[in-house]
Amino acid sequence: MKARRLLPALLLAGAVHAQTEAPWVWRLPPDVPPPRVPADNPMSAAKVELGRHLFYDRRLSVNGRLACAGCHEQRRAFTDGRALAVGATGEKTGRNAQQLSNVGWHSTYTWANPALTTLERQVLVPIFGTDPVEMGVDDGNREAILGRLRADPAAVARFAAAFPGDAAPLNFANVGRALAAFQRTLISFDSRYDRAQRGELRLTAAERRGRDLFFGEKAECFHCHSGFNFNDQAVHQRSREAPTPFHNTGQYDLDGRGAYPLGNRGVYEISGRPEDMGAFRAPSLRNVAVTAPYLHDGSLKTLAEVVRTYAAGGRLTRHGPLAGDGRRNPYKSELIGSIRLSPREQADLVAFLKTLTDERFLHDPRFADPAAEAPRR
């Protein structure tokens, strides 16, 4: 009799628990603080799962041909292997698709926009952007695209679970919130470098020499690629300020006065200030070995080429429309100087950079296409 009385209470407790999801718990290394999360978009398992489905959903594009994952493939650390990303209509974007490892800790997003400081805002840029067109959503087709999702009972249920307080949760604002929540879970701290730091393995002699060069004053890589995320724009819950440096690394000088190619002039295109010519964000180097090609325009094909270019203090282009001596660009960062590195030292640096690859991250089923989990019929 006593057990019968307890049963309704247990069922009620279960119902309450189902409606009130447990707080999100970040599982991070001891030296990594949790990322900032906007107060109006708290993390939840239901929201993350919705974001994962949306990340792989081609229905979000104008013609149903492109999902976010089309330019951000997990096995490439969520890049696409192209010099320039390609939108749903075939239009090239003009910039290299950036990797998404630990994207939740970035201070700014995209290559050269100091004002784009949250994932919630960033994820809507490729969806609604018109120059270039990526996903191709606009005021004329947005309701039709949402209609594709509203016709899918499973999608409707996922939105309702992710945003239980909304009377009409299936909208593009919530698309952005869910995508941002999912991307904050793309956490990568299990590379060979990380394991060596934890004492779980020992790097090879070449990798150790490369590590010492990387963090030393001879190669000076650490000035722009430091901290737990190997970049200089990391922000977290305990940050007092959000650093937002951008750098001209001496890749071009088309006119002898510092000009970069039209449409790829960095922060200058937003600010109009001469000193911002060619200034781009230093990307995180986590998983860098699988994210080729490199730079904002994908113009360097290999890590060896990147190391060689920076060791030379920039790039000299002798012929063609991009001819010029970027090494002499008047706006080049003072952090980029001519560095004397032997061929072996350059090879050692590349060997070290390869230790930043996190194989578990590249194949983690939590980040993979949910369609791959569907049972076969």
Side-chain angles (χ1 to χ4, degrees), residues 200-259:
E200 298 171 6
L201 57 82
R202 182 172 171 79
L203 299 180
T204 68
E207 292 166 348
R208 294 196 303 273
R209 291 194 302 266
R211 177 196 59 196
D212 293 343
L213 282 166
F214 185 94
F215 290 110
E217 292 295 340
K218 185 172 186 179
E220 299 187 308
C221 309
F222 72 95
H223 290 300
C224 295
H225 300 284
S226 60
F228 62 84
N229 212 22
F230 287 87
N231 69 348
D232 58 0
Q233 283 204 19
V235 66
H236 50 78
Q237 287 184 4
R238 298 202 297 266
S239 298
R240 293 185 177 181
E241 298 180 356
T244 59
F246 294 83
H247 311 281
N248 180 321
T249 60
Q251 299 305 310
Y252 301 102
D253 188 354
L254 305 187
D255 59 359
R257 297 190 299 273

Short mmCIF file of all heavy atoms in Angstrom, two decimals, residues 200-259:
data_model
loop_
_atom_site.label_atom_id
_atom_site.label_comp_id
_atom_site.label_asym_id
_atom_site.label_seq_id
_atom_site.Cartn_x
_atom_site.Cartn_y
_atom_site.Cartn_z
N GLU A 200 50.60 12.68 -20.18
CA GLU A 200 50.11 11.39 -20.67
C GLU A 200 50.98 10.82 -21.78
O GLU A 200 50.90 9.64 -22.07
CB GLU A 200 48.67 11.55 -21.15
CG GLU A 200 47.71 11.98 -20.05
CD GLU A 200 46.33 12.34 -20.58
OE1 GLU A 200 46.07 12.14 -21.78
OE2 GLU A 200 45.51 12.84 -19.78
N LEU A 201 51.78 11.64 -22.42
CA LEU A 201 52.70 11.18 -23.46
C LEU A 201 53.85 12.17 -23.57
O LEU A 201 53.82 13.25 -22.98
CB LEU A 201 51.98 11.00 -24.81
CG LEU A 201 51.25 12.22 -25.42
CD1 LEU A 201 52.21 13.15 -26.16
CD2 LEU A 201 50.17 11.74 -26.39
N ARG A 202 54.86 11.80 -24.33
CA ARG A 202 56.01 12.66 -24.55
C ARG A 202 56.12 12.97 -26.04
O ARG A 202 56.05 12.07 -26.89
CB ARG A 202 57.29 11.95 -24.07
CG ARG A 202 58.56 12.78 -24.21
CD ARG A 202 59.72 12.07 -23.55
NE ARG A 202 61.01 12.69 -23.83
CZ ARG A 202 61.48 13.77 -23.23
NH1 ARG A 202 60.74 14.37 -22.30
NH2 ARG A 202 62.68 14.25 -23.52
N LEU A 203 56.26 14.24 -26.36
CA LEU A 203 56.41 14.65 -27.75
C LEU A 203 57.75 14.16 -28.29
O LEU A 203 58.70 13.92 -27.53
CB LEU A 203 56.33 16.17 -27.88
CG LEU A 203 55.02 16.84 -27.43
CD1 LEU A 203 55.12 18.35 -27.63
CD2 LEU A 203 53.82 16.28 -28.17
N THR A 204 57.84 14.04 -29.61
CA THR A 204 59.10 13.64 -30.23
C THR A 204 60.12 14.77 -30.10
O THR A 204 59.77 15.92 -29.76
CB THR A 204 58.90 13.32 -31.72
OG1 THR A 204 58.58 14.54 -32.42
CG2 THR A 204 57.79 12.30 -31.92
N ALA A 205 61.37 14.47 -30.39
CA ALA A 205 62.41 15.49 -30.29
C ALA A 205 62.12 16.66 -31.22
O ALA A 205 62.29 17.84 -30.84
CB ALA A 205 63.77 14.87 -30.62
N ALA A 206 61.69 16.37 -32.45
CA ALA A 206 61.38 17.45 -33.39
C ALA A 206 60.21 18.28 -32.90
O ALA A 206 60.22 19.52 -33.01
CB ALA A 206 61.07 16.86 -34.77
N GLU A 207 59.19 17.64 -32.36
CA GLU A 207 58.02 18.37 -31.83
C GLU A 207 58.41 19.24 -30.65
O GLU A 207 57.92 20.38 -30.52
CB GLU A 207 56.94 17.37 -31.44
CG GLU A 207 56.32 16.65 -32.63
CD GLU A 207 55.50 15.44 -32.23
OE1 GLU A 207 55.60 14.99 -31.05
OE2 GLU A 207 54.78 14.92 -33.09
N ARG A 208 59.29 18.76 -29.80
CA ARG A 208 59.73 19.55 -28.64
C ARG A 208 60.56 20.75 -29.10
O ARG A 208 60.42 21.86 -28.57
CB ARG A 208 60.53 18.69 -27.66
CG ARG A 208 59.71 17.60 -26.99
CD ARG A 208 60.41 17.03 -25.77
NE ARG A 208 61.74 16.50 -26.06
CZ ARG A 208 61.98 15.27 -26.48
NH1 ARG A 208 60.97 14.42 -26.68
NH2 ARG A 208 63.22 14.86 -26.69
N ARG A 209 61.41 20.53 -30.09
CA ARG A 209 62.19 21.67 -30.63
C ARG A 209 61.24 22.71 -31.23
O ARG A 209 61.41 23.92 -31.05
CB ARG A 209 63.18 21.19 -31.67
CG ARG A 209 64.32 20.35 -31.11
CD ARG A 209 65.44 20.19 -32.14
NE ARG A 209 64.99 19.58 -33.38
CZ ARG A 209 65.05 18.28 -33.66
NH1 ARG A 209 65.53 17.43 -32.75
NH2 ARG A 209 64.64 17.81 -34.82
N GLY A 210 60.22 22.22 -31.97
CA GLY A 210 59.25 23.14 -32.55
C GLY A 210 58.46 23.88 -31.49
O GLY A 210 58.19 25.08 -31.63
N ARG A 211 58.11 23.19 -30.41
CA ARG A 211 57.40 23.84 -29.30
C ARG A 211 58.25 24.95 -28.69
O ARG A 211 57.76 26.06 -28.42
CB ARG A 211 57.07 22.79 -28.24
CG ARG A 211 56.40 23.35 -26.98
CD ARG A 211 56.47 22.34 -25.85
NE ARG A 211 57.86 22.00 -25.54
CZ ARG A 211 58.23 20.94 -24.83
NH1 ARG A 211 57.33 20.09 -24.37
NH2 ARG A 211 59.51 20.71 -24.59
N ASP A 212 59.53 24.68 -28.49
CA ASP A 212 60.41 25.69 -27.89
C ASP A 212 60.56 26.90 -28.83
O ASP A 212 60.62 28.04 -28.36
CB ASP A 212 61.78 25.08 -27.59
CG ASP A 212 61.71 24.03 -26.49
OD1 ASP A 212 60.70 24.01 -25.76
OD2 ASP A 212 62.65 23.22 -26.39
N LEU A 213 60.63 26.65 -30.13
CA LEU A 213 60.67 27.76 -31.08
C LEU A 213 59.38 28.56 -31.04
O LEU A 213 59.38 29.80 -31.04
CB LEU A 213 60.91 27.22 -32.50
CG LEU A 213 62.32 26.81 -32.86
CD1 LEU A 213 62.31 25.99 -34.16
CD2 LEU A 213 63.22 28.04 -33.03
N PHE A 214 58.27 27.86 -31.04
CA PHE A 214 56.95 28.50 -31.07
C PHE A 214 56.77 29.46 -29.90
O PHE A 214 56.30 30.60 -30.07
CB PHE A 214 55.85 27.43 -31.05
CG PHE A 214 54.46 27.96 -31.22
CD1 PHE A 214 53.87 28.01 -32.47
CD2 PHE A 214 53.73 28.42 -30.12
CE1 PHE A 214 52.58 28.50 -32.63
CE2 PHE A 214 52.44 28.91 -30.27
CZ PHE A 214 51.87 28.95 -31.53
N PHE A 215 57.17 29.01 -28.71
CA PHE A 215 56.97 29.83 -27.51
C PHE A 215 58.19 30.69 -27.16
O PHE A 215 58.18 31.36 -26.13
CB PHE A 215 56.62 28.93 -26.32
CG PHE A 215 55.25 28.30 -26.42
CD1 PHE A 215 55.12 26.94 -26.64
CD2 PHE A 215 54.11 29.07 -26.31
CE1 PHE A 215 53.86 26.35 -26.74
CE2 PHE A 215 52.85 28.50 -26.40
CZ PHE A 215 52.72 27.13 -26.62
N GLY A 216 59.19 30.68 -28.01
CA GLY A 216 60.39 31.45 -27.76
C GLY A 216 60.46 32.72 -28.58
O GLY A 216 59.65 32.96 -29.48
N GLU A 217 61.46 33.54 -28.28
CA GLU A 217 61.60 34.83 -28.95
C GLU A 217 62.20 34.71 -30.34
O GLU A 217 62.18 35.67 -31.11
CB GLU A 217 62.46 35.76 -28.10
CG GLU A 217 61.81 36.19 -26.79
CD GLU A 217 60.56 37.03 -26.99
OE1 GLU A 217 60.40 37.60 -28.08
OE2 GLU A 217 59.74 37.10 -26.06
N LYS A 218 62.75 33.56 -30.69
CA LYS A 218 63.35 33.43 -32.02
C LYS A 218 62.28 33.38 -33.10
O LYS A 218 62.33 34.12 -34.08
CB LYS A 218 64.24 32.19 -32.09
CG LYS A 218 64.97 32.09 -33.43
CD LYS A 218 66.00 30.97 -33.43
CE LYS A 218 66.80 31.01 -34.73
NZ LYS A 218 67.84 29.94 -34.78
N ALA A 219 61.30 32.51 -32.94
CA ALA A 219 60.21 32.41 -33.94
C ALA A 219 59.07 33.36 -33.62
O ALA A 219 58.36 33.81 -34.51
CB ALA A 219 59.71 30.98 -34.02
N GLU A 220 58.83 33.63 -32.33
CA GLU A 220 57.87 34.65 -31.87
C GLU A 220 56.41 34.35 -32.25
O GLU A 220 55.58 35.26 -32.26
CB GLU A 220 58.26 36.03 -32.40
CG GLU A 220 59.63 36.50 -31.92
CD GLU A 220 59.92 37.93 -32.29
OE1 GLU A 220 59.78 38.25 -33.50
OE2 GLU A 220 60.27 38.70 -31.40
N CYS A 221 56.10 33.11 -32.52
CA CYS A 221 54.72 32.76 -32.90
C CYS A 221 53.73 33.10 -31.79
O CYS A 221 52.57 33.46 -32.05
CB CYS A 221 54.63 31.28 -33.23
SG CYS A 221 55.85 30.68 -34.41
N PHE A 222 54.17 32.93 -30.53
CA PHE A 222 53.25 33.05 -29.39
C PHE A 222 52.68 34.45 -29.22
O PHE A 222 51.68 34.62 -28.51
CB PHE A 222 53.96 32.62 -28.11
CG PHE A 222 54.99 33.61 -27.62
CD1 PHE A 222 54.66 34.55 -26.65
CD2 PHE A 222 56.28 33.61 -28.12
CE1 PHE A 222 55.58 35.47 -26.20
CE2 PHE A 222 57.22 34.52 -27.68
CZ PHE A 222 56.88 35.45 -26.71
N HIS A 223 53.28 35.45 -29.84
CA HIS A 223 52.76 36.81 -29.68
C HIS A 223 51.33 36.93 -30.18
O HIS A 223 50.52 37.67 -29.61
CB HIS A 223 53.66 37.81 -30.41
CG HIS A 223 54.99 38.01 -29.77
ND1 HIS A 223 55.14 38.47 -28.49
CD2 HIS A 223 56.24 37.77 -30.24
CE1 HIS A 223 56.42 38.53 -28.19
NE2 HIS A 223 57.12 38.11 -29.23
N CYS A 224 51.01 36.23 -31.27
CA CYS A 224 49.65 36.27 -31.83
C CYS A 224 48.87 34.98 -31.58
O CYS A 224 47.65 34.95 -31.81
CB CYS A 224 49.70 36.51 -33.34
SG CYS A 224 50.38 38.12 -33.81
N HIS A 225 49.56 33.93 -31.14
CA HIS A 225 48.91 32.63 -30.97
C HIS A 225 49.28 32.06 -29.61
O HIS A 225 50.08 31.14 -29.48
CB HIS A 225 49.34 31.68 -32.08
CG HIS A 225 48.99 32.16 -33.46
ND1 HIS A 225 47.70 32.10 -33.96
CD2 HIS A 225 49.75 32.73 -34.42
CE1 HIS A 225 47.69 32.60 -35.18
NE2 HIS A 225 48.92 33.00 -35.48
N SER A 226 48.67 32.63 -28.57
CA SER A 226 49.03 32.27 -27.20
C SER A 226 47.81 31.76 -26.44
O SER A 226 46.69 31.72 -26.96
CB SER A 226 49.62 33.49 -26.48
OG SER A 226 48.66 34.54 -26.45
N GLY A 227 48.04 31.36 -25.19
CA GLY A 227 46.95 30.96 -24.33
C GLY A 227 46.37 29.60 -24.69
O GLY A 227 46.86 28.91 -25.58
N PHE A 228 45.31 29.24 -24.00
CA PHE A 228 44.73 27.90 -24.18
C PHE A 228 44.14 27.71 -25.57
O PHE A 228 43.97 26.58 -26.02
CB PHE A 228 43.67 27.63 -23.11
CG PHE A 228 42.49 28.55 -23.13
CD1 PHE A 228 41.42 28.32 -23.97
CD2 PHE A 228 42.43 29.64 -22.28
CE1 PHE A 228 40.32 29.16 -24.00
CE2 PHE A 228 41.32 30.49 -22.28
CZ PHE A 228 40.26 30.25 -23.15
N ASN A 229 43.82 28.81 -26.27
CA ASN A 229 43.20 28.66 -27.58
C ASN A 229 44.14 29.03 -28.73
O ASN A 229 43.71 29.08 -29.88
CB ASN A 229 41.92 29.50 -27.68
CG ASN A 229 40.89 28.86 -28.57
OD1 ASN A 229 40.91 27.65 -28.80
ND2 ASN A 229 39.97 29.65 -29.09
N PHE A 230 45.39 29.32 -28.43
CA PHE A 230 46.39 29.62 -29.46
C PHE A 230 45.96 30.75 -30.40
O PHE A 230 46.11 30.66 -31.61
CB PHE A 230 46.73 28.35 -30.25
CG PHE A 230 47.56 27.37 -29.47
CD1 PHE A 230 46.97 26.43 -28.66
CD2 PHE A 230 48.95 27.41 -29.55
CE1 PHE A 230 47.74 25.54 -27.91
CE2 PHE A 230 49.73 26.53 -28.81
CZ PHE A 230 49.12 25.59 -27.99
N ASN A 231 45.39 31.79 -29.81
CA ASN A 231 45.12 33.02 -30.56
C ASN A 231 45.17 34.19 -29.58
O ASN A 231 45.44 34.00 -28.39
CB ASN A 231 43.79 32.95 -31.32
CG ASN A 231 42.58 32.96 -30.41
OD1 ASN A 231 42.69 32.78 -29.19
ND2 ASN A 231 41.41 33.14 -30.98
N ASP A 232 44.94 35.39 -30.06
CA ASP A 232 45.01 36.55 -29.17
C ASP A 232 43.67 37.26 -29.05
O ASP A 232 43.61 38.45 -28.74
CB ASP A 232 46.11 37.52 -29.63
CG ASP A 232 45.92 38.02 -31.06
OD1 ASP A 232 44.93 37.63 -31.70
OD2 ASP A 232 46.77 38.80 -31.54
N GLN A 233 42.60 36.51 -29.29
CA GLN A 233 41.26 37.07 -29.11
C GLN A 233 40.40 36.10 -28.30
O GLN A 233 39.30 35.73 -28.70
CB GLN A 233 40.60 37.34 -30.46
CG GLN A 233 41.09 38.58 -31.15
CD GLN A 233 40.06 39.13 -32.14
OE1 GLN A 233 38.88 38.83 -32.09
NE2 GLN A 233 40.51 39.97 -33.04
N ALA A 234 40.90 35.68 -27.17
CA ALA A 234 40.14 34.76 -26.32
C ALA A 234 39.45 35.52 -25.19
O ALA A 234 40.04 36.41 -24.57
CB ALA A 234 41.06 33.69 -25.74
N VAL A 235 38.21 35.15 -24.94
CA VAL A 235 37.44 35.77 -23.86
C VAL A 235 36.65 34.68 -23.16
O VAL A 235 36.27 33.67 -23.76
CB VAL A 235 36.49 36.86 -24.43
CG1 VAL A 235 35.42 36.26 -25.31
CG2 VAL A 235 35.88 37.69 -23.31
N HIS A 236 36.42 34.85 -21.86
CA HIS A 236 35.73 33.82 -21.09
C HIS A 236 34.95 34.47 -19.95
O HIS A 236 34.92 35.71 -19.83
CB HIS A 236 36.72 32.78 -20.55
CG HIS A 236 37.91 33.38 -19.86
ND1 HIS A 236 37.86 33.88 -18.57
CD2 HIS A 236 39.18 33.57 -20.28
CE1 HIS A 236 39.05 34.33 -18.22
NE2 HIS A 236 39.87 34.17 -19.25
N GLN A 237 34.34 33.65 -19.10
CA GLN A 237 33.46 34.18 -18.07
C GLN A 237 34.18 35.09 -17.07
O GLN A 237 33.56 35.97 -16.48
CB GLN A 237 32.77 33.03 -17.33
CG GLN A 237 31.69 32.33 -18.12
CD GLN A 237 30.97 31.27 -17.32
OE1 GLN A 237 31.23 31.09 -16.12
NE2 GLN A 237 30.07 30.53 -17.96
N ARG A 238 35.47 34.88 -16.89
CA ARG A 238 36.21 35.67 -15.91
C ARG A 238 36.96 36.84 -16.54
O ARG A 238 37.66 37.58 -15.84
CB ARG A 238 37.19 34.77 -15.16
CG ARG A 238 36.52 33.65 -14.37
CD ARG A 238 37.42 33.13 -13.26
NE ARG A 238 38.64 32.53 -13.76
CZ ARG A 238 38.80 31.23 -13.99
NH1 ARG A 238 37.79 30.39 -13.78
NH2 ARG A 238 39.95 30.74 -14.42
N SER A 239 36.82 37.03 -17.83
CA SER A 239 37.53 38.12 -18.50
C SER A 239 36.96 39.48 -18.10
O SER A 239 35.74 39.67 -18.06
CB SER A 239 37.42 37.98 -20.03
OG SER A 239 38.03 36.79 -20.47
N ARG A 240 37.85 40.42 -17.81
CA ARG A 240 37.41 41.78 -17.55
C ARG A 240 37.24 42.56 -18.84
O ARG A 240 36.38 43.43 -18.95
CB ARG A 240 38.43 42.49 -16.65
CG ARG A 240 38.51 41.92 -15.24
CD ARG A 240 39.46 42.73 -14.37
NE ARG A 240 39.49 42.23 -13.00
CZ ARG A 240 40.23 42.77 -12.04
NH1 ARG A 240 40.99 43.83 -12.30
NH2 ARG A 240 40.21 42.26 -10.82
N GLU A 241 38.10 42.26 -19.81
CA GLU A 241 38.03 42.91 -21.11
C GLU A 241 38.06 41.86 -22.20
O GLU A 241 38.48 40.72 -21.98
CB GLU A 241 39.21 43.88 -21.29
CG GLU A 241 39.23 45.02 -20.28
CD GLU A 241 40.42 45.94 -20.50
OE1 GLU A 241 41.24 45.64 -21.39
OE2 GLU A 241 40.52 46.95 -19.79
N ALA A 242 37.60 42.22 -23.39
CA ALA A 242 37.61 41.32 -24.53
C ALA A 242 38.62 41.84 -25.55
O ALA A 242 38.35 42.81 -26.26
CB ALA A 242 36.22 41.23 -25.16
N PRO A 243 39.81 41.25 -25.63
CA PRO A 243 40.82 41.74 -26.57
C PRO A 243 40.38 41.54 -28.01
O PRO A 243 39.85 40.49 -28.37
CB PRO A 243 42.05 40.88 -26.24
CG PRO A 243 41.48 39.62 -25.65
CD PRO A 243 40.25 40.05 -24.91
N THR A 244 40.61 42.54 -28.84
CA THR A 244 40.20 42.45 -30.25
C THR A 244 41.29 42.96 -31.18
O THR A 244 41.05 43.84 -32.02
CB THR A 244 38.90 43.25 -30.50
OG1 THR A 244 39.12 44.62 -30.13
CG2 THR A 244 37.74 42.69 -29.69
N PRO A 245 42.51 42.43 -31.10
CA PRO A 245 43.55 42.88 -32.03
C PRO A 245 43.37 42.28 -33.42
O PRO A 245 42.87 41.17 -33.58
CB PRO A 245 44.84 42.35 -31.38
CG PRO A 245 44.40 41.15 -30.62
CD PRO A 245 43.01 41.45 -30.13
N PHE A 246 43.78 43.04 -34.43
CA PHE A 246 43.82 42.58 -35.81
C PHE A 246 45.20 42.93 -36.36
O PHE A 246 45.80 43.92 -35.94
CB PHE A 246 42.72 43.24 -36.64
CG PHE A 246 41.33 42.84 -36.22
CD1 PHE A 246 40.69 43.47 -35.15
CD2 PHE A 246 40.66 41.82 -36.88
CE1 PHE A 246 39.42 43.09 -34.76
CE2 PHE A 246 39.39 41.44 -36.50
CZ PHE A 246 38.77 42.07 -35.43
N HIS A 247 45.69 42.14 -37.31
CA HIS A 247 47.08 42.28 -37.72
C HIS A 247 47.24 42.29 -39.23
O HIS A 247 46.63 41.47 -39.94
CB HIS A 247 47.92 41.12 -37.16
CG HIS A 247 47.72 40.87 -35.70
ND1 HIS A 247 48.32 41.64 -34.74
CD2 HIS A 247 46.98 39.93 -35.04
CE1 HIS A 247 47.97 41.19 -33.54
NE2 HIS A 247 47.16 40.16 -33.70
N ASN A 248 48.07 43.19 -39.71
CA ASN A 248 48.57 43.13 -41.09
C ASN A 248 49.85 42.32 -41.04
O ASN A 248 50.83 42.72 -40.40
CB ASN A 248 48.83 44.55 -41.61
CG ASN A 248 49.36 44.57 -43.03
OD1 ASN A 248 50.16 43.74 -43.44
ND2 ASN A 248 48.92 45.56 -43.80
N THR A 249 49.86 41.18 -41.73
CA THR A 249 51.01 40.28 -41.65
C THR A 249 51.90 40.35 -42.89
O THR A 249 52.68 39.44 -43.16
CB THR A 249 50.55 38.84 -41.42
OG1 THR A 249 49.71 38.42 -42.50
CG2 THR A 249 49.81 38.71 -40.10
N GLY A 250 51.76 41.41 -43.67
CA GLY A 250 52.66 41.63 -44.78
C GLY A 250 52.48 40.67 -45.94
O GLY A 250 53.45 40.26 -46.58
N GLN A 251 51.22 40.39 -46.28
CA GLN A 251 50.97 39.46 -47.39
C GLN A 251 50.95 40.16 -48.75
O GLN A 251 51.28 39.54 -49.77
CB GLN A 251 49.66 38.72 -47.16
CG GLN A 251 49.63 37.88 -45.89
CD GLN A 251 50.77 36.90 -45.83
OE1 GLN A 251 51.03 36.15 -46.77
NE2 GLN A 251 51.48 36.89 -44.70
N TYR A 252 50.56 41.43 -48.78
CA TYR A 252 50.44 42.15 -50.05
C TYR A 252 50.90 43.59 -49.90
O TYR A 252 50.93 44.15 -48.80
CB TYR A 252 48.98 42.14 -50.54
CG TYR A 252 48.40 40.77 -50.75
CD1 TYR A 252 47.52 40.21 -49.82
CD2 TYR A 252 48.74 40.02 -51.89
CE1 TYR A 252 46.99 38.95 -50.01
CE2 TYR A 252 48.22 38.75 -52.07
CZ TYR A 252 47.35 38.22 -51.14
OH TYR A 252 46.84 36.95 -51.33
N ASP A 253 51.26 44.18 -51.02
CA ASP A 253 51.48 45.62 -51.13
C ASP A 253 51.40 45.94 -52.62
O ASP A 253 52.40 45.97 -53.33
CB ASP A 253 52.84 46.02 -50.55
CG ASP A 253 53.00 47.54 -50.50
OD1 ASP A 253 52.11 48.26 -51.00
OD2 ASP A 253 54.02 48.00 -49.95
N LEU A 254 50.19 46.18 -53.09
CA LEU A 254 49.96 46.28 -54.53
C LEU A 254 50.48 47.56 -55.16
O LEU A 254 50.79 47.58 -56.35
CB LEU A 254 48.45 46.16 -54.82
CG LEU A 254 47.73 44.92 -54.28
CD1 LEU A 254 46.31 44.88 -54.81
CD2 LEU A 254 48.48 43.64 -54.63
N ASP A 255 50.58 48.61 -54.37
CA ASP A 255 50.95 49.92 -54.96
C ASP A 255 52.19 50.54 -54.33
O ASP A 255 52.51 51.70 -54.60
CB ASP A 255 49.78 50.89 -54.84
CG ASP A 255 49.35 51.13 -53.39
OD1 ASP A 255 49.96 50.52 -52.48
OD2 ASP A 255 48.41 51.91 -53.18
N GLY A 256 52.87 49.79 -53.48
CA GLY A 256 54.02 50.35 -52.79
C GLY A 256 53.65 51.25 -51.63
O GLY A 256 54.52 51.78 -50.94
N ARG A 257 52.36 51.42 -51.39
CA ARG A 257 51.89 52.26 -50.29
C ARG A 257 51.02 51.46 -49.31
O ARG A 257 50.33 52.04 -48.47
CB ARG A 257 51.11 53.46 -50.82
CG ARG A 257 51.95 54.40 -51.68
CD ARG A 257 51.24 55.70 -51.98
NE ARG A 257 50.00 55.48 -52.72
CZ ARG A 257 49.92 55.39 -54.05
NH1 ARG A 257 51.04 55.50 -54.78
NH2 ARG A 257 48.78 55.20 -54.66
N GLY A 258 51.03 50.12 -49.45
CA GLY A 258 50.35 49.27 -48.49
C GLY A 258 49.04 48.66 -48.93
O GLY A 258 48.39 47.96 -48.15
N ALA A 259 48.60 48.89 -50.17
CA ALA A 259 47.27 48.44 -50.58
C ALA A 259 47.16 46.92 -50.63
O ALA A 259 48.05 46.22 -51.12
CB ALA A 259 46.93 49.02 -51.95
#
